[in-house]
Amino acid sequence: MAGSEEEARYSRQLYVLGGGARRLPGAAVLVSGLRGTGAQVATALVLAGTGRVVLHDCDAACTADRAHQFLLGESDLGQNRAEASQRALAELNPHVVVETHSGELSEAFLASFQVVVLTESPLEEQLRIGNFCHAQGICFIVADTKGLAGQLFCDFGEHFVIDDPAEEDPVSAAVQHISQGSPGVVTCMGTEDFQDGDLVTFSGVQGMTELNSQEPVPVRVLDTSRLEISDTSSFSPYRCGGLVSRVRPEECSHKPLCQALEEPKIEVANPEDKPRSRSLHAAFQALHAFRRERGRLPRPRAPAEAERVLELARSLGAQQGPLDENIVRAFASVSAGDLCPVAAVLGALAAQEVLKAITRKFQPLNQWLYFDALECLALPGAAELTETDCAPVRPRPECCCWPYQSLLFPVGLGP
Amino acid sequence: MMGLAAGPDGELIIADMDTVALSNLHRQLLYCSADISKPKSVVAAAAVQRMNPDVRVTPHQNQVGPATEMLYRDNFFRHLDGVASALDTIEARAYLERRCLRCHTPLLDSGTEGTQGNVLPMVPFLTEPLKPASTPRDGTFPLCTLRHFPRIIQHTLQWARDEFEGLFQLPAEQVNQFMEDPDFLKQQRPREVLEQVWNSLRERPRDWQDCVRWARRRWQSCYHDAIIQLLHIYPPEHETSPGVPFWAGDRTCPHPLTFNPDNDTHLDYVLAAAHLFAQVHRVSPCRDRAAIQAILRGVVLPPFVPQEGLQIPLTEEPAEQAHIPTDHRQLRQITQDLVQWRQDLVGNEELQAPLMEPIHFEKDNNVHIDFITAASNLRAENYSISPANWLTSKRIAGRIVPAIITSTAAVAGLACLEVYKLVWGCQDLSCYRNSNINLSACLLLRVQPPPAPTYWYGGREWSCWDRLEMQGVGADGQAVTVQEVLDWLQVSPVLSALSQVTLGDAGPDPDTHLLQRTHGWTVTMLLCGDDVLYDSKADAETRAQQQAQRLSENFRDARKLQQQDLELLYICEGQDAEAEDTGPPLLCSLP
């Protein structure tokens, strides 16, 4: 890897992802839904060097998409969103295979992936696919952006092994000698940091180079300078050099979506934000229910529709603690909008979780995270917008970029 | 995407002086492989235009900094609705912040490191100015630690970096200077420089084999001879005082290495060093390891005899190796040789100028990193320090900041959310957000920024953003004199506020006003940066000179002469009261 073409391209990223990055080229990820969030997730995965990224979408690109989905060009309008996005993505990284799929997501199709990301699916589809993935050991992620808020959910199965939970360089010792034997004995510069049963990897060993590419092996501490490892009798004789590094894997266990919905474990940076996140959790579920009822999302800035979402949220009653009604109303009133910056944030967070699933580095999200920028609604002018202000206007070709933004802000973004 | 700058009066200016590199591609989507080596701002502008043809975008290939102040004058900043920065050095960020602070331009600062990132909005009159970013983790190490007593791999890596410059950059630059400048020898040069040039010329290789042999000799000198020398002065059993071993605590006793052509690290060093040496001298390098091993086996070096009387300082005294008496005869011989050699070389028409090619360290050059890694790890072995692999050596020696598309994209999104607030001219602090993310730990924290700090001066509360403003143009169209500034200050609200505090409830009485002028506060000092424009404690003649001077004349810092606006600080003293701390600065606009 040192000095190779991949190193030259991914150099700065390798320092973040560590050894687990070697699993990226062999990984296969499905991204379903190629609106703003899906585009952000797919872009990040392609740039990071995920071997195979498959884009799924059943809908055609429309003018409004171009305000938040940067992969689509003028000439892509009317074409399947996945296919149109595939062209721009393929150019971003020649080392990655980008494919498309516009049919339904059958179990046979899903089985070929290591990670599945849903960005625009209704709740029923999320549950169906989530259950299947959970049973099959496929990492499952929901990344849903609605207006000024986003929802992220991870289910990496019952037994997900994290090879490298920490961010710092691993503990290591210089190797002085390795015997050829069964078991093999490693003499190194001090074994204080090692314990029986620790897993180790080797690097830079000269002579007995077979050890350099091995998966982690357990050691037994013999004394202050020697470790016992498994059979090395068939390896080439040790010459010199090398570093032995400790690897401390952890295991985490996730619930499937159907269970995690009821008693959600929500990650918050600040305990004071828990009520807000819980309210958003209820609001997102209420939104799914509203959509089932009316066949669409709430009309922007329509108070009656926002009230209906709030009613549904109350009746779901699954959240622990009081509902912040203002948050739910605000969320509902702009949930039909799409904003590129919000999609960027949530898409990036989701992409990092995908990378965690593949590289097994860093703690995965346990299991929900909510992000919102609802403070933007307090901006001068934005708070007073009414339903008629936001009625869909037939977009002119030359201002294709602002119609959906106008649902949140007065039209005329400039100077 | 947001449609920023898509209107008739809009403009989006992108400034970056850098070109696209392969290692940039993994974390952004505006450039691809075909764009490598093109200017970043130009490629970025083109990409933006494609995404939204309505956006009026202008690329600038400049670094916004002291050197480009003539281009980006205060008027430029004043006309901006905002600046979004994503800078990678503390200095650049601090400079931009100073300019925005001064010109009351909103600034959105964003940065990432690995999976962490933040966005900090700086909004005039609302938020506090940005705090200086924390100092980088790898500072400079003490010289004697690097030279003789390394303890950790960072020391040996820094040593290897210094070796790189000392072997492949500085000697070549010095030799070229010597060759090009006929007066080189006539000027007073330190003895070391002459010896350096003499050595460099003497060692000029004829072919690749010479390069390999040179590298082998360097190896011997660094990893064997220098250690023997050190141990000769301070043997392993040496004691600082009876019963106190010298080689203890922070000092690990080194051991010399014995060269072995079959040892990969030894060979890596020779290969890289010889390669770089060959490049400096324009000899074609060869990568055949077996051929190099064959050459190495044929090298026989004389045994090393440590020098007597050498001293190695144990503290950071600057006057280090000045204790070897100058051998004047040797110096004369060196000078004579140099004169002769230069004559010969200049006469040789086959040689191209410059004579040698200095190599500047580049972290993305594999041979450079090969050298650094091997050189550092060999020294680490001398001192029983755990070696570092190639990637880690590259990261530390190259001061690489880990980066990844995820945190980069998230921070960009968070910054854009603050842009909405700036565009709408939001004056409500509670709408803005300082954002902090750590994607490795699923952390996303957004909080209201702390308000702009205030302070008391002259009995009144001022914001850190407040300043007094004065047109610095006299009736004759020229810049005002210092006396005119003093007069202006004397009747400014600041001074009358100070006076009111000391005189109690004097009230708005014309006589009181006169009272203030004669018995109240006066300006005792006027400063512009480090320049003292007026000092009431100076003698009468100096004071007269100072008062008569126009603001556009005579500053030590030549840049100030070109500035449109000068920021002046003043110190006031009352007859019965102590000097106050400085009040809001005075911004003086020059013609």
Side-chain angles (χ1 to χ4, degrees), chain B residues 382-461:
Chain B
N382 279 134
Y383 286 85
S384 310
I385 301 171
S386 283
N389 64 20
W390 195 88
L391 275 178
T392 309
S393 301
K394 171 171 170 162
R395 172 173 65 80
I396 299 175
R399 305 230 163 98
I400 292 179
V401 177
I404 188 165
I405 177 66
T406 49
S407 48
T408 308
V411 161
L414 291 167
C416 286
L417 288 169
E418 300 308 301
V419 170
Y420 283 126
K421 301 160 190 178
L422 286 178
V423 165
W424 259 281
C426 181
Q427 284 299 305
D428 181 356
L429 186 64
S430 67
C431 273
Y432 289 94
R433 292 288 180 270
N434 279 355
S435 302
N436 257 294
I437 59 168
N438 186 345
L439 299 187
S440 61
C442 317
L443 238 86
L444 173 54
L445 182 64
R446 299 175 79 228
V447 294
Q448 181 181 314
T454 55
Y455 59 97
W456 287 88
Y457 185 80
R460 205 192 109 164
E461 200 178 10

Side-chain angles (χ1 to χ4, degrees), chain B residues 172-182 184 189 342:
Chain B
E173 286 172 350
Q174 273 168 349
V175 165
N176 287 346
Q177 225 190 342
F178 162 72
M179 290 297 297
E180 278 150 33
D181 181 5
F184 187 91
R189 299 275 168 186
R342 193 213 265 130

Side-chain angles (χ1 to χ4, degrees), chain A residues 48-258:
Chain A
T50 312
R52 183 168 161 252
V53 176
V54 178
L55 313 172
H56 168 256
D57 204 317
C58 298
D59 292 334
C62 61
T63 315
D65 284 336
R66 290 199 59 223
H68 54 86
Q69 215 274 44
F70 47 82
L71 299 170
L72 300 174
E74 186 76 45
S75 53
D76 293 321
L77 299 180
Q79 294 190 35
N80 176 281
R81 265 200 290 254
E83 280 164 34
S85 308
Q86 189 263 354
R87 280 188 285 278
L89 282 173
E91 270 173 29
L92 285 178
N93 190 344
H95 303 285
V96 167
V97 168
V98 184
E99 293 168 353
T100 61
H101 178 82
S102 49
E104 62 161 65
L105 296 175
S106 68
E107 292 188 353
F109 176 70
L110 292 168
S112 61
F113 295 103
Q114 203 180 329
V115 189
V116 166
V117 184
L118 303 183
T119 68
E120 302 289 334
S121 305
L123 185 59
E124 298 70 38
E125 190 173 62
Q126 289 176 4
L127 288 166
R128 174 181 74 85
I129 296 177
N131 283 334
F132 174 76
C133 289
H134 188 91
Q136 298 291 310
I138 300 172
C139 293
F140 175 72
I141 295 175
V142 170
D144 195 354
T145 312
K146 291 284 185 293
L148 281 167
Q151 171 194 65
L152 183 60
F153 170 75
C154 288
D155 169 15
F156 288 9
E158 308 271 327
H159 307 286
F160 180 80
V161 176
I162 309 150
D163 281 344
D164 193 356
E167 209 167 338
E168 308 84 36
D169 289 323
V171 152
S172 49
V175 174
Q176 284 158 336
H177 182 73
I178 308 177
S179 69
Q180 280 168 301
S182 176
V185 175
V186 178
T187 312
C188 59
M189 301 241 344
T191 59
E192 324 73 61
D193 294 315
F194 296 90
Q195 287 171 22
D196 280 354
D198 269 347
L199 291 175
V200 299
T201 53
F202 290 86
S203 64
V205 173
Q206 298 183 36
M208 196 182 282
T209 50
E210 295 90 339
L211 283 176
N212 290 331
S213 47
Q214 269 199 352
E215 289 289 314
V217 291
V219 295
R220 202 160 72 83
V221 182
L222 292 174
D223 56 41
T224 53
S225 61
R226 294 183 312 150
L227 300 169
E228 196 182 86
I229 58 171
S230 50
D231 193 351
T232 54
S233 46
S234 60
F235 292 163
S236 327
Y238 173 82
R239 262 219 316 274
C240 56
L243 213 58
V244 56
S245 305
R246 191 187 69 195
V247 173
R248 278 235 166 112
E250 285 176 20
E251 200 181 273
C252 74
S253 184
H254 284 166
K255 295 206 171 80
L257 181 62
C258 49

Side-chain angles (χ1 to χ4, degrees), chain B residues 491-519:
Chain B
V491 299
S492 74
V494 168
L495 257 101
S496 40
L498 278 171
S499 306
Q500 272 167 18
V501 168
T502 36
L503 293 174
D505 301 300
D509 179 353
D511 288 338
T512 320
H513 183 68
L514 198 60
L515 201 65
Q516 285 163 9
R517 292 201 64 176
T518 46
H519 296 293

Side-chain angles (χ1 to χ4, degrees), chain B residues 362-373:
Chain B
E362 276 162 30
K363 57 186 181 245
D364 287 311
N365 182 312
N366 291 338
V367 180
H368 295 196
I369 300 297
D370 287 344
F371 174 82
I372 298 285
T373 308

Side-chain angles (χ1 to χ4, degrees), chain B residues 241-540:
Chain B
S241 58
V244 179
F246 176 84
W247 293 107
D250 278 349
R251 297 191 200 109
T252 322
C253 188
H255 59 272
L257 304 184
T258 306
F259 189 80
N260 177 358
D262 294 315
N263 179 313
D264 280 342
T265 315
H266 297 195
L267 199 56
D268 286 340
Y269 177 89
V270 170
L271 180 53
H275 184 119
L276 292 163
F277 189 69
Q279 259 187 293
V280 169
H281 291 275
R282 300 207 192 82
V283 170
S284 301
C286 167
R287 308 284 296 177
D288 184 346
R289 287 173 90 92
I292 293 173
Q293 278 173 319
I295 302 171
L296 289 169
R297 286 197 186 92
V299 171
V300 176
L301 294 175
F304 176 70
V305 178
Q307 215 178 335
E308 296 297 332
L310 263 190
Q311 287 182 34
I312 287 178
L314 300 177
T315 54
E316 293 315 295
E317 276 145 28
E320 285 209 25
Q321 293 150 2
H323 304 293
I324 305 174
T326 312
D327 183 339
H328 290 284
R329 253 195 52 191
Q330 193 195 38
L331 201 57
R332 267 200 303 277
Q333 183 62 52
I334 287 177
T335 315
Q336 268 183 324
D337 287 344
L338 286 176
V339 170
Q340 182 61 52
W341 290 345
R342 193 213 265 130
Q343 252 187 325
D344 297 339
L345 287 168
V346 165
N348 184 340
E349 278 156 13
E350 282 174 44
L351 286 178
Q352 52 178 131
L355 188 61
M356 289 166 66
E357 253 186 50
I359 305 181
H360 295 267
F361 175 72
E362 276 162 30
K363 57 186 181 245
D364 287 311
N365 182 312
N366 291 338
V367 180
H368 295 196
I369 300 297
D370 287 344
F371 174 82
I372 298 285
T373 308
S376 166
N377 284 341
L378 286 166
R379 188 166 172 78
E381 205 185 319
N382 279 134
Y383 286 85
S384 310
I385 301 171
S386 283
N389 64 20
W390 195 88
L391 275 178
T392 309
S393 301
K394 171 171 170 162
R395 172 173 65 80
I396 299 175
R399 305 230 163 98
I400 292 179
V401 177
I404 188 165
I405 177 66
T406 49
S407 48
T408 308
V411 161
L414 291 167
C416 286
L417 288 169
E418 300 308 301
V419 170
Y420 283 126
K421 301 160 190 178
L422 286 178
V423 165
W424 259 281
C426 181
Q427 284 299 305
D428 181 356
L429 186 64
S430 67
C431 273
Y432 289 94
R433 292 288 180 270
N434 279 355
S435 302
N436 257 294
I437 59 168
N438 186 345
L439 299 187
S440 61
C442 317
L443 238 86
L444 173 54
L445 182 64
R446 299 175 79 228
V447 294
Q448 181 181 314
T454 55
Y455 59 97
W456 287 88
Y457 185 80
R460 205 192 109 164
E461 200 178 10
W462 301 86
S463 159
C464 63
W465 290 93
D466 280 323
R467 60 188 184 221
L468 306 174
E469 289 183 19
M470 173 190 179
Q471 284 304 313
V473 189
D476 52 2
Q478 291 208 37
V480 292
T481 60
V482 169
Q483 182 61 56
E484 289 174 285
V485 176
L486 293 173
D487 288 340
W488 189 94
L489 270 172
Q490 206 63 39
V491 299
S492 74
V494 168
L495 257 101
S496 40
L498 278 171
S499 306
Q500 272 167 18
V501 168
T502 36
L503 293 174
D505 301 300
D509 179 353
D511 288 338
T512 320
H513 183 68
L514 198 60
L515 201 65
Q516 285 163 9
R517 292 201 64 176
T518 46
H519 296 293
W521 291 69
T522 49
V523 179
T524 54
M525 222 165 144
L526 192 66
L527 301 147
C528 183
D530 291 327
D531 293 302
V532 176
L533 299 181
Y534 174 75
D535 185 354
S536 65
K537 299 206 169 57
D539 60 83

